[in-house]
Amino acid sequence: MSVRNHDKNLSRKQRLQEKQRRQLAVVDTVDKAEAKVRKAEVELAGAVTEAVQVFGDEQSASEGLDMPVEAIRRFLAMARDEAAGVADADADAS
């Protein structure tokens, strides 16, 4: 009987380990996808910043890009934050 209980415990342990392995794999996949999204948002923020410069102001860029002014402002803020973060990193490296 004790052998049978040992097999059940081992089997439960193996099932738990497999479940944990799958959970970690999913977390890793989500982390990688979030990093890709962040990179794409930063690129988009740069493009929106350039569009505002080309169109002349936020409202004109909003109309030209068919994007709400609130989204334009959010991307402009993101671009400023990114630029500030790069400037801070450069200052720390010096």
Side-chain angles (χ1 to χ4, degrees), residues 18-87:
E18 178 60 21
K19 182 178 179 180
Q20 288 173 334
R21 185 195 65 74
R22 287 192 320 259
Q23 288 172 339
L24 288 172
V26 169
V27 168
D28 186 49
T29 301
V30 169
D31 286 347
K32 288 177 182 176
E34 285 178 333
K36 288 179 183 179
V37 167
R38 176 70 183 146
K39 183 179 177 185
E41 284 181 332
V42 168
E43 288 179 23
L44 181 55
V48 168
T49 299
E50 185 176 349
V52 170
Q53 292 170 352
V54 169
F55 283 100
D57 61 20
E58 294 172 6
Q59 185 61 44
S60 298
S62 170
E63 293 167 7
L65 297 174
D66 194 27
M67 183 182 288
V69 173
E70 297 80 24
I72 298 282
R73 290 182 181 144
R74 183 174 70 87
F75 285 117
L76 291 174
M78 188 183 297
R80 278 192 301 273
D81 292 347
E82 186 69 20
V86 170

